[in-house]
Amino acid sequence: MKIVPVARVASLLLLSVSAPALAAGQLPRTVVPVAYDITVKPDAGAMTFTGKETIKVEVTEATDVITLNAADLVVDSATFDGAAVTVKQDQNAQLLTVRLPRAATRGMHVLTFSWSGKINESPLGLFAIDYKNPDGSAARMLATQFEAPDARRFAPMWDEPSFKATFTLSAEAPANQLTFSNMPVSKTANVAGGKKLYTFATTPKMSSYLLFLGMGDMERRTVMAGKTEIGVITRRGVAGQGQYSLDAAKKLLSYYNDYFGQPYPLPKLDMIAGPGGSQTFGAMENWGAIFYFEQELLFDPARATESNRQRIYTVVAHEMAHQWFGDLVTMSWWDDLWLNEGFASWMEGKASADLNPSWNAKAALVGTEREVALGADSTAATHPIIRKIETVDQIGEAFDGITYQKGQAVIAMLEATLGPDVFRDGIRRYMAKHKYGNTVTDQLWDSMAEAAGKPVADIMHDFTLQAGVPLVTLTGATCANGTTSATLTQGRFGLDAISKQPQTWRVPLRIGVVGQDATSAIVQGAAPASVSVRGCGTLVLNQGKGSYLRARYDATGHAAIVRDFRTLALADRIGTLGDDYALAMSGDQDLALYLELAGKVPVDGDPLEWTMLAGQLGRLGERFQGTPLEDRLNARTVAIISPVMQRVGYEAKAGESPLVTNLRETLIGGLGGIGDAGIAATARRYVAALATDANAIPPAIRTPILRTYAANATAPEWEALLAIMRAEKNPVTRNSYVRLLGGARDAGLAQRALDLIKANELSAPQKASLLRSVASKHPELAFDFALANLPLVDSFTEASNRSTYIAGLGGGSNDPAMPAKITAYAEKNLPEAARGGAARVVASMAARREVAERLRPAAEAWVAAAK
């Protein structure tokens, strides 16, 4: 799954990799499914469905009780080996208990159920996506979303990843609609009411959350990649926008077949585009039937930016990587979710870098995904990569920046430490050994150790079983006889008191003199360790920024970095900017040192450097939102960035790098978001032209121009944007306009947006996205609205997001009263086990306030010096 983010006890190190202990809330293993045969009959108009299934089960231990999962289903009847049995449903626990008249013997048996269920408005179980066709007529697509624990809303199941089984799915659908699932259709039969019964081929052995069903007025375009048919399925009329993804998928499939050493095992791989949205995800890796929301899959050259195009590619790369990491080999329990998401995130970056060299993706990741991971891991709100999961709400909370971005970063560190060939050998061993099975993380380390001929678990346990960021400090660099020596120490980087508590890692890294080959080292603990490298000159710590750490230099070392900054490799320049900025936030280094380093980036510097700087300077102003210092910092930022904007210009130049195109988008959005008058005026001119030309805004700048217009809108301009939204027939574009309506900096217009949520004009997903958009600039207003309208907001909040959605609305607030309000909301409205998300929001807010006060004197001095 691609996203739109409790301390692990030490005894986890003793976990048996061959037979992991059951977590609280897991189903018993006395009865396990072997094969499901499921038939469903959806009624899209009534938003209900009925189902029947036959499950071949294996009884592993004599028992007269069978327990499995069911949620929001009404079970009408059940049999065991042909005899009727009684069932008891616990909707709160999402359990279905079958009581047998006598104990079932060990061996194979047959269990059947019939039931009715509901079709949801949000992506949960079987759900509907409503949209309008170009002629204005209404259309409805049905699809399923089962990750994490929502296959149980479709059929009674053992809905846990370790209960792998085969699935034979049949579905009744209108004969004039396209119906699709994980496997190709094996047979069809006409049924009453102008419908057909579609039966799909039996799947390989897989986890329940990977099952998929979809139907609607859709069309399918295909391409062959070897023996695999790759398809893109879209609403009628836009299949051509899927060609970019088809072409990407064909190259990626060949790349992955080679890299993993296991050919993709299904006969087809469909990518399905849904014209909706979700609060929690953008795409889902159902085996052979990957579901995407349209903006993550379809490329519209008349409206999409370059960053949209690259985003589509990386999302496709992410979800296709899951066909191996997650689908072919699946984590045993949600504790090890990172085995799915961390590896898919890492693989998307690696594949994108190898197949699109002009993107300079490896260096770009240093300033994006790596920084996200280090930031998420630097406050009391963090948690270990491998975390204890016991409840449904905790599963939902696990899909966050630690699981994805930190997981990605520590995998990249392991590849850099072992070398790419040895690392790939380890991956291939792991895939070959565990295909169609379930694993825990230590089984991956075993395969890596076999490939490397040395243990890796100890180092990787340090980074996966404990939270936090290592801080490696270099001091006392001297050169004699062509060799530079220095001292390294390892501490902990953090933004608040809890995240600064001492901790020890074994940190692998590379260190070297600029222009010389780097030396590998492992730094452990606070005791000084000496290191020697070849050559004399500026010493670069964590060369290539391949290791997961913050790097700090003594005064002499930092002065050398500043002096020779332009001679550093691009990844090291970007990474050092990130480290210096973070060290200022943590109080480990003065902000002036970061600003001195930033001053070394020339107006014609690399686009990735300016992308990094623009983001950092923008966030500096955000830390003082609502104070006089905010406007002064923004003015200084405009003065620094405007010359770069003038150089880049609004119009793309023939043959320019895609990185320059992306930078233009970043600069327009950044300057427009803080109220730059010139950008705002340009945005108004472009949007005014939409009245006569729907494509008046050049695609490369369409998104930031519209965001700038929305952020700076007056009341009449906001009304004009509302009219554009109401007239828009493209469902994806309409959704984007809904979000824009919540982006106004004017509080009165934000209130107008909130009024739309109370009306019946918007769908449930649109209401959720609009409220979150208002919260981005008016967190107090959005949070108070949610509290005052709790039943309404709960009605459109996705179940997997309920523990974090409302708390997150207030998370951007600088109001000292907001943390207590969030805590009070959670204590009153959420079960104790579901309050972790709110607690992390509050911890992040405390860290942000602490950082702001720490930075204030230096920020004041910086803006004063500009006069």
PDB file of all heavy atoms in Angstrom, residues 753-786:
ATOM      1  N   ALA A 753     -15.713  27.024   3.653  1.00  0.00           N
ATOM      2  CA  ALA A 753     -15.408  25.644   3.252  1.00  0.00           C
ATOM      3  C   ALA A 753     -16.018  24.652   4.240  1.00  0.00           C
ATOM      4  O   ALA A 753     -16.563  23.611   3.843  1.00  0.00           O
ATOM      5  CB  ALA A 753     -13.897  25.457   3.161  1.00  0.00           C
ATOM      6  N   LEU A 754     -15.937  24.954   5.524  1.00  0.00           N
ATOM      7  CA  LEU A 754     -16.519  24.064   6.526  1.00  0.00           C
ATOM      8  C   LEU A 754     -18.031  23.963   6.367  1.00  0.00           C
ATOM      9  O   LEU A 754     -18.623  22.900   6.590  1.00  0.00           O
ATOM     10  CB  LEU A 754     -16.168  24.553   7.933  1.00  0.00           C
ATOM     11  CG  LEU A 754     -14.683  24.497   8.313  1.00  0.00           C
ATOM     12  CD1 LEU A 754     -14.453  25.088   9.695  1.00  0.00           C
ATOM     13  CD2 LEU A 754     -14.159  23.064   8.256  1.00  0.00           C
ATOM     14  N   ASP A 755     -18.654  25.050   5.949  1.00  0.00           N
ATOM     15  CA  ASP A 755     -20.103  25.018   5.721  1.00  0.00           C
ATOM     16  C   ASP A 755     -20.470  24.021   4.612  1.00  0.00           C
ATOM     17  O   ASP A 755     -21.537  23.396   4.662  1.00  0.00           O
ATOM     18  CB  ASP A 755     -20.619  26.410   5.355  1.00  0.00           C
ATOM     19  CG  ASP A 755     -20.532  27.391   6.522  1.00  0.00           C
ATOM     20  OD1 ASP A 755     -20.436  26.932   7.679  1.00  0.00           O
ATOM     21  OD2 ASP A 755     -20.536  28.615   6.271  1.00  0.00           O
ATOM     22  N   LEU A 756     -19.584  23.872   3.621  1.00  0.00           N
ATOM     23  CA  LEU A 756     -19.841  22.903   2.549  1.00  0.00           C
ATOM     24  C   LEU A 756     -19.896  21.481   3.093  1.00  0.00           C
ATOM     25  O   LEU A 756     -20.606  20.618   2.549  1.00  0.00           O
ATOM     26  CB  LEU A 756     -18.748  22.990   1.480  1.00  0.00           C
ATOM     27  CG  LEU A 756     -18.753  24.199   0.547  1.00  0.00           C
ATOM     28  CD1 LEU A 756     -17.523  24.157  -0.350  1.00  0.00           C
ATOM     29  CD2 LEU A 756     -20.028  24.237  -0.283  1.00  0.00           C
ATOM     30  N   ILE A 757     -19.120  21.217   4.130  1.00  0.00           N
ATOM     31  CA  ILE A 757     -19.087  19.862   4.700  1.00  0.00           C
ATOM     32  C   ILE A 757     -20.442  19.508   5.311  1.00  0.00           C
ATOM     33  O   ILE A 757     -20.852  18.344   5.311  1.00  0.00           O
ATOM     34  CB  ILE A 757     -17.953  19.764   5.743  1.00  0.00           C
ATOM     35  CG1 ILE A 757     -16.594  19.958   5.056  1.00  0.00           C
ATOM     36  CG2 ILE A 757     -17.992  18.427   6.477  1.00  0.00           C
ATOM     37  CD1 ILE A 757     -15.418  20.033   6.002  1.00  0.00           C
ATOM     38  N   LYS A 758     -21.148  20.495   5.812  1.00  0.00           N
ATOM     39  CA  LYS A 758     -22.458  20.242   6.421  1.00  0.00           C
ATOM     40  C   LYS A 758     -23.548  19.995   5.376  1.00  0.00           C
ATOM     41  O   LYS A 758     -24.594  19.422   5.691  1.00  0.00           O
ATOM     42  CB  LYS A 758     -22.863  21.423   7.301  1.00  0.00           C
ATOM     43  CG  LYS A 758     -22.047  21.566   8.576  1.00  0.00           C
ATOM     44  CD  LYS A 758     -22.600  22.699   9.423  1.00  0.00           C
ATOM     45  CE  LYS A 758     -21.900  22.811  10.752  1.00  0.00           C
ATOM     46  NZ  LYS A 758     -22.479  23.892  11.595  1.00  0.00           N
ATOM     47  N   ALA A 759     -23.325  20.447   4.167  1.00  0.00           N
ATOM     48  CA  ALA A 759     -24.322  20.271   3.114  1.00  0.00           C
ATOM     49  C   ALA A 759     -24.210  18.873   2.520  1.00  0.00           C
ATOM     50  O   ALA A 759     -23.373  18.059   2.908  1.00  0.00           O
ATOM     51  CB  ALA A 759     -24.127  21.346   2.054  1.00  0.00           C
ATOM     52  N   ASN A 760     -25.042  18.584   1.542  1.00  0.00           N
ATOM     53  CA  ASN A 760     -25.078  17.251   0.939  1.00  0.00           C
ATOM     54  C   ASN A 760     -24.448  17.212  -0.449  1.00  0.00           C
ATOM     55  O   ASN A 760     -24.618  16.242  -1.177  1.00  0.00           O
ATOM     56  CB  ASN A 760     -26.526  16.761   0.859  1.00  0.00           C
ATOM     57  CG  ASN A 760     -27.146  16.568   2.226  1.00  0.00           C
ATOM     58  OD1 ASN A 760     -26.487  16.079   3.138  1.00  0.00           O
ATOM     59  ND2 ASN A 760     -28.402  16.962   2.375  1.00  0.00           N
ATOM     60  N   GLU A 761     -23.707  18.240  -0.794  1.00  0.00           N
ATOM     61  CA  GLU A 761     -23.166  18.355  -2.139  1.00  0.00           C
ATOM     62  C   GLU A 761     -21.965  17.444  -2.373  1.00  0.00           C
ATOM     63  O   GLU A 761     -21.727  16.978  -3.490  1.00  0.00           O
ATOM     64  CB  GLU A 761     -22.766  19.816  -2.384  1.00  0.00           C
ATOM     65  CG  GLU A 761     -22.188  20.102  -3.748  1.00  0.00           C
ATOM     66  CD  GLU A 761     -21.917  21.579  -3.949  1.00  0.00           C
ATOM     67  OE1 GLU A 761     -22.159  22.375  -3.015  1.00  0.00           O
ATOM     68  OE2 GLU A 761     -21.464  21.943  -5.045  1.00  0.00           O
ATOM     69  N   LEU A 762     -21.197  17.174  -1.326  1.00  0.00           N
ATOM     70  CA  LEU A 762     -19.937  16.452  -1.457  1.00  0.00           C
ATOM     71  C   LEU A 762     -20.081  15.006  -0.997  1.00  0.00           C
ATOM     72  O   LEU A 762     -20.895  14.692  -0.125  1.00  0.00           O
ATOM     73  CB  LEU A 762     -18.847  17.146  -0.635  1.00  0.00           C
ATOM     74  CG  LEU A 762     -18.588  18.622  -0.934  1.00  0.00           C
ATOM     75  CD1 LEU A 762     -17.501  19.166  -0.016  1.00  0.00           C
ATOM     76  CD2 LEU A 762     -18.205  18.828  -2.390  1.00  0.00           C
ATOM     77  N   SER A 763     -19.242  14.149  -1.570  1.00  0.00           N
ATOM     78  CA  SER A 763     -19.200  12.752  -1.132  1.00  0.00           C
ATOM     79  C   SER A 763     -18.444  12.648   0.191  1.00  0.00           C
ATOM     80  O   SER A 763     -17.774  13.598   0.617  1.00  0.00           O
ATOM     81  CB  SER A 763     -18.498  11.894  -2.184  1.00  0.00           C
ATOM     82  OG  SER A 763     -17.120  12.242  -2.259  1.00  0.00           O
ATOM     83  N   ALA A 764     -18.533  11.490   0.827  1.00  0.00           N
ATOM     84  CA  ALA A 764     -17.841  11.288   2.100  1.00  0.00           C
ATOM     85  C   ALA A 764     -16.327  11.490   1.967  1.00  0.00           C
ATOM     86  O   ALA A 764     -15.722  12.215   2.765  1.00  0.00           O
ATOM     87  CB  ALA A 764     -18.157   9.904   2.659  1.00  0.00           C
ATOM     88  N   PRO A 765     -15.667  10.889   0.956  1.00  0.00           N
ATOM     89  CA  PRO A 765     -14.221  11.138   0.824  1.00  0.00           C
ATOM     90  C   PRO A 765     -13.904  12.613   0.555  1.00  0.00           C
ATOM     91  O   PRO A 765     -12.881  13.120   1.034  1.00  0.00           O
ATOM     92  CB  PRO A 765     -13.814  10.258  -0.362  1.00  0.00           C
ATOM     93  CG  PRO A 765     -14.835   9.171  -0.396  1.00  0.00           C
ATOM     94  CD  PRO A 765     -16.115   9.845   0.011  1.00  0.00           C
ATOM     95  N   GLN A 766     -14.751  13.300  -0.193  1.00  0.00           N
ATOM     96  CA  GLN A 766     -14.501  14.722  -0.464  1.00  0.00           C
ATOM     97  C   GLN A 766     -14.627  15.551   0.811  1.00  0.00           C
ATOM     98  O   GLN A 766     -13.843  16.474   1.041  1.00  0.00           O
ATOM     99  CB  GLN A 766     -15.481  15.224  -1.522  1.00  0.00           C
ATOM    100  CG  GLN A 766     -15.179  14.738  -2.929  1.00  0.00           C
ATOM    101  CD  GLN A 766     -16.278  15.082  -3.917  1.00  0.00           C
ATOM    102  OE1 GLN A 766     -17.432  15.315  -3.550  1.00  0.00           O
ATOM    103  NE2 GLN A 766     -15.927  15.114  -5.199  1.00  0.00           N
ATOM    104  N   LYS A 767     -15.588  15.244   1.655  1.00  0.00           N
ATOM    105  CA  LYS A 767     -15.727  15.961   2.916  1.00  0.00           C
ATOM    106  C   LYS A 767     -14.488  15.772   3.786  1.00  0.00           C
ATOM    107  O   LYS A 767     -13.989  16.718   4.406  1.00  0.00           O
ATOM    108  CB  LYS A 767     -16.979  15.490   3.657  1.00  0.00           C
ATOM    109  CG  LYS A 767     -18.285  15.902   2.999  1.00  0.00           C
ATOM    110  CD  LYS A 767     -19.492  15.346   3.759  1.00  0.00           C
ATOM    111  CE  LYS A 767     -20.790  15.765   3.096  1.00  0.00           C
ATOM    112  NZ  LYS A 767     -21.984  15.224   3.808  1.00  0.00           N
ATOM    113  N   ALA A 768     -13.996  14.541   3.834  1.00  0.00           N
ATOM    114  CA  ALA A 768     -12.807  14.271   4.645  1.00  0.00           C
ATOM    115  C   ALA A 768     -11.596  15.032   4.128  1.00  0.00           C
ATOM    116  O   ALA A 768     -10.817  15.593   4.908  1.00  0.00           O
ATOM    117  CB  ALA A 768     -12.516  12.769   4.659  1.00  0.00           C
ATOM    118  N   SER A 769     -11.420  15.068   2.808  1.00  0.00           N
ATOM    119  CA  SER A 769     -10.262  15.765   2.250  1.00  0.00           C
ATOM    120  C   SER A 769     -10.393  17.271   2.422  1.00  0.00           C
ATOM    121  O   SER A 769      -9.400  17.972   2.647  1.00  0.00           O
ATOM    122  CB  SER A 769     -10.059  15.406   0.781  1.00  0.00           C
ATOM    123  OG  SER A 769     -11.089  15.942  -0.031  1.00  0.00           O
ATOM    124  N   LEU A 770     -11.610  17.805   2.337  1.00  0.00           N
ATOM    125  CA  LEU A 770     -11.810  19.233   2.520  1.00  0.00           C
ATOM    126  C   LEU A 770     -11.520  19.652   3.962  1.00  0.00           C
ATOM    127  O   LEU A 770     -10.867  20.680   4.196  1.00  0.00           O
ATOM    128  CB  LEU A 770     -13.243  19.610   2.143  1.00  0.00           C
ATOM    129  CG  LEU A 770     -13.619  21.092   2.276  1.00  0.00           C
ATOM    130  CD1 LEU A 770     -12.682  21.973   1.480  1.00  0.00           C
ATOM    131  CD2 LEU A 770     -15.064  21.321   1.844  1.00  0.00           C
ATOM    132  N   LEU A 771     -11.967  18.880   4.924  1.00  0.00           N
ATOM    133  CA  LEU A 771     -11.702  19.212   6.324  1.00  0.00           C
ATOM    134  C   LEU A 771     -10.200  19.161   6.617  1.00  0.00           C
ATOM    135  O   LEU A 771      -9.665  20.032   7.309  1.00  0.00           O
ATOM    136  CB  LEU A 771     -12.464  18.251   7.238  1.00  0.00           C
ATOM    137  CG  LEU A 771     -12.333  18.507   8.746  1.00  0.00           C
ATOM    138  CD1 LEU A 771     -12.682  19.932   9.121  1.00  0.00           C
ATOM    139  CD2 LEU A 771     -13.198  17.508   9.527  1.00  0.00           C
ATOM    140  N   ARG A 772      -9.529  18.171   6.082  1.00  0.00           N
ATOM    141  CA  ARG A 772      -8.080  18.094   6.287  1.00  0.00           C
ATOM    142  C   ARG A 772      -7.373  19.266   5.615  1.00  0.00           C
ATOM    143  O   ARG A 772      -6.380  19.788   6.129  1.00  0.00           O
ATOM    144  CB  ARG A 772      -7.551  16.768   5.747  1.00  0.00           C
ATOM    145  CG  ARG A 772      -6.064  16.561   5.966  1.00  0.00           C
ATOM    146  CD  ARG A 772      -5.644  15.159   5.565  1.00  0.00           C
ATOM    147  NE  ARG A 772      -5.971  14.182   6.587  1.00  0.00           N
ATOM    148  CZ  ARG A 772      -5.880  12.865   6.420  1.00  0.00           C
ATOM    149  NH1 ARG A 772      -5.499  12.380   5.250  1.00  0.00           N
ATOM    150  NH2 ARG A 772      -6.175  12.032   7.400  1.00  0.00           N
ATOM    151  N   SER A 773      -7.882  19.713   4.458  1.00  0.00           N
ATOM    152  CA  SER A 773      -7.299  20.853   3.775  1.00  0.00           C
ATOM    153  C   SER A 773      -7.448  22.121   4.613  1.00  0.00           C
ATOM    154  O   SER A 773      -6.506  22.916   4.738  1.00  0.00           O
ATOM    155  CB  SER A 773      -7.965  21.032   2.403  1.00  0.00           C
ATOM    156  OG  SER A 773      -7.444  22.149   1.723  1.00  0.00           O
ATOM    157  N   VAL A 774      -8.614  22.330   5.205  1.00  0.00           N
ATOM    158  CA  VAL A 774      -8.798  23.481   6.090  1.00  0.00           C
ATOM    159  C   VAL A 774      -7.806  23.421   7.257  1.00  0.00           C
ATOM    160  O   VAL A 774      -7.221  24.434   7.650  1.00  0.00           O
ATOM    161  CB  VAL A 774     -10.255  23.526   6.614  1.00  0.00           C
ATOM    162  CG1 VAL A 774     -10.407  24.589   7.703  1.00  0.00           C
ATOM    163  CG2 VAL A 774     -11.216  23.819   5.466  1.00  0.00           C
ATOM    164  N   ALA A 775      -7.596  22.236   7.792  1.00  0.00           N
ATOM    165  CA  ALA A 775      -6.696  22.079   8.936  1.00  0.00           C
ATOM    166  C   ALA A 775      -5.259  22.444   8.603  1.00  0.00           C
ATOM    167  O   ALA A 775      -4.491  22.817   9.497  1.00  0.00           O
ATOM    168  CB  ALA A 775      -6.752  20.640   9.446  1.00  0.00           C
ATOM    169  N   SER A 776      -4.877  22.364   7.338  1.00  0.00           N
ATOM    170  CA  SER A 776      -3.493  22.667   6.979  1.00  0.00           C
ATOM    171  C   SER A 776      -3.127  24.119   7.267  1.00  0.00           C
ATOM    172  O   SER A 776      -1.962  24.435   7.546  1.00  0.00           O
ATOM    173  CB  SER A 776      -3.249  22.354   5.499  1.00  0.00           C
ATOM    174  OG  SER A 776      -3.995  23.236   4.663  1.00  0.00           O
ATOM    175  N   LYS A 777      -4.106  25.016   7.208  1.00  0.00           N
ATOM    176  CA  LYS A 777      -3.837  26.428   7.489  1.00  0.00           C
ATOM    177  C   LYS A 777      -4.608  26.952   8.701  1.00  0.00           C
ATOM    178  O   LYS A 777      -4.249  27.980   9.263  1.00  0.00           O
ATOM    179  CB  LYS A 777      -4.162  27.284   6.268  1.00  0.00           C
ATOM    180  CG  LYS A 777      -3.172  27.103   5.116  1.00  0.00           C
ATOM    181  CD  LYS A 777      -3.428  28.081   3.996  1.00  0.00           C
ATOM    182  CE  LYS A 777      -2.282  28.045   2.980  1.00  0.00           C
ATOM    183  NZ  LYS A 777      -2.131  26.714   2.341  1.00  0.00           N
ATOM    184  N   HIS A 778      -5.646  26.248   9.097  1.00  0.00           N
ATOM    185  CA  HIS A 778      -6.481  26.692  10.223  1.00  0.00           C
ATOM    186  C   HIS A 778      -6.769  25.496  11.131  1.00  0.00           C
ATOM    187  O   HIS A 778      -7.927  25.062  11.246  1.00  0.00           O
ATOM    188  CB  HIS A 778      -7.783  27.309   9.709  1.00  0.00           C
ATOM    189  CG  HIS A 778      -7.584  28.423   8.747  1.00  0.00           C
ATOM    190  ND1 HIS A 778      -7.315  29.721   9.145  1.00  0.00           N
ATOM    191  CD2 HIS A 778      -7.586  28.444   7.387  1.00  0.00           C
ATOM    192  CE1 HIS A 778      -7.179  30.489   8.076  1.00  0.00           C
ATOM    193  NE2 HIS A 778      -7.330  29.737   7.000  1.00  0.00           N
ATOM    194  N   PRO A 779      -5.753  24.945  11.783  1.00  0.00           N
ATOM    195  CA  PRO A 779      -5.964  23.727  12.577  1.00  0.00           C
ATOM    196  C   PRO A 779      -6.956  23.906  13.718  1.00  0.00           C
ATOM    197  O   PRO A 779      -7.732  22.987  14.016  1.00  0.00           O
ATOM    198  CB  PRO A 779      -4.558  23.382  13.092  1.00  0.00           C
ATOM    199  CG  PRO A 779      -3.762  24.643  12.951  1.00  0.00           C
ATOM    200  CD  PRO A 779      -4.340  25.374  11.788  1.00  0.00           C
ATOM    201  N   GLU A 780      -6.946  25.071  14.365  1.00  0.00           N
ATOM    202  CA  GLU A 780      -7.888  25.296  15.473  1.00  0.00           C
ATOM    203  C   GLU A 780      -9.327  25.274  14.959  1.00  0.00           C
ATOM    204  O   GLU A 780     -10.216  24.665  15.562  1.00  0.00           O
ATOM    205  CB  GLU A 780      -7.594  26.629  16.174  1.00  0.00           C
ATOM    206  CG  GLU A 780      -6.228  26.706  16.829  1.00  0.00           C
ATOM    207  CD  GLU A 780      -5.138  27.174  15.871  1.00  0.00           C
ATOM    208  OE1 GLU A 780      -5.471  27.501  14.712  1.00  0.00           O
ATOM    209  OE2 GLU A 780      -3.965  27.213  16.272  1.00  0.00           O
ATOM    210  N   LEU A 781      -9.545  25.936  13.842  1.00  0.00           N
ATOM    211  CA  LEU A 781     -10.884  26.002  13.254  1.00  0.00           C
ATOM    212  C   LEU A 781     -11.375  24.611  12.868  1.00  0.00           C
ATOM    213  O   LEU A 781     -12.522  24.237  13.140  1.00  0.00           O
ATOM    214  CB  LEU A 781     -10.844  26.921  12.038  1.00  0.00           C
ATOM    215  CG  LEU A 781     -12.177  27.441  11.485  1.00  0.00           C
ATOM    216  CD1 LEU A 781     -12.875  28.304  12.523  1.00  0.00           C
ATOM    217  CD2 LEU A 781     -11.913  28.252  10.214  1.00  0.00           C
ATOM    218  N   ALA A 782     -10.507  23.829  12.230  1.00  0.00           N
ATOM    219  CA  ALA A 782     -10.892  22.489  11.775  1.00  0.00           C
ATOM    220  C   ALA A 782     -11.163  21.563  12.951  1.00  0.00           C
ATOM    221  O   ALA A 782     -12.146  20.796  12.950  1.00  0.00           O
ATOM    222  CB  ALA A 782      -9.800  21.914  10.879  1.00  0.00           C
ATOM    223  N   PHE A 783     -10.291  21.605  13.962  1.00  0.00           N
ATOM    224  CA  PHE A 783     -10.468  20.714  15.110  1.00  0.00           C
ATOM    225  C   PHE A 783     -11.750  21.059  15.867  1.00  0.00           C
ATOM    226  O   PHE A 783     -12.528  20.166  16.235  1.00  0.00           O
ATOM    227  CB  PHE A 783      -9.260  20.815  16.035  1.00  0.00           C
ATOM    228  CG  PHE A 783      -9.311  19.866  17.209  1.00  0.00           C
ATOM    229  CD1 PHE A 783      -8.945  18.544  17.052  1.00  0.00           C
ATOM    230  CD2 PHE A 783      -9.743  20.296  18.455  1.00  0.00           C
ATOM    231  CE1 PHE A 783      -8.999  17.654  18.126  1.00  0.00           C
ATOM    232  CE2 PHE A 783      -9.806  19.424  19.532  1.00  0.00           C
ATOM    233  CZ  PHE A 783      -9.431  18.100  19.362  1.00  0.00           C
ATOM    234  N   ASP A 784     -11.981  22.339  16.100  1.00  0.00           N
ATOM    235  CA  ASP A 784     -13.195  22.748  16.818  1.00  0.00           C
ATOM    236  C   ASP A 784     -14.450  22.384  16.031  1.00  0.00           C
ATOM    237  O   ASP A 784     -15.473  21.997  16.607  1.00  0.00           O
ATOM    238  CB  ASP A 784     -13.165  24.250  17.102  1.00  0.00           C
ATOM    239  CG  ASP A 784     -12.126  24.635  18.145  1.00  0.00           C
ATOM    240  OD1 ASP A 784     -11.621  23.723  18.840  1.00  0.00           O
ATOM    241  OD2 ASP A 784     -11.811  25.828  18.254  1.00  0.00           O
ATOM    242  N   PHE A 785     -14.375  22.496  14.694  1.00  0.00           N
ATOM    243  CA  PHE A 785     -15.503  22.076  13.854  1.00  0.00           C
ATOM    244  C   PHE A 785     -15.771  20.586  14.052  1.00  0.00           C
ATOM    245  O   PHE A 785     -16.932  20.165  14.173  1.00  0.00           O
ATOM    246  CB  PHE A 785     -15.208  22.373  12.388  1.00  0.00           C
ATOM    247  CG  PHE A 785     -16.232  21.834  11.430  1.00  0.00           C
ATOM    248  CD1 PHE A 785     -17.334  22.592  11.078  1.00  0.00           C
ATOM    249  CD2 PHE A 785     -16.106  20.560  10.871  1.00  0.00           C
ATOM    250  CE1 PHE A 785     -18.296  22.102  10.197  1.00  0.00           C
ATOM    251  CE2 PHE A 785     -17.045  20.057   9.996  1.00  0.00           C
ATOM    252  CZ  PHE A 785     -18.150  20.839   9.658  1.00  0.00           C
ATOM    253  N   ALA A 786     -14.720  19.782  14.065  1.00  0.00           N
ATOM    254  CA  ALA A 786     -14.896  18.340  14.227  1.00  0.00           C
ATOM    255  C   ALA A 786     -15.537  18.010  15.572  1.00  0.00           C
ATOM    256  O   ALA A 786     -16.433  17.153  15.649  1.00  0.00           O
ATOM    257  CB  ALA A 786     -13.555  17.632  14.080  1.00  0.00           C
TER     258      ALA A 786
END
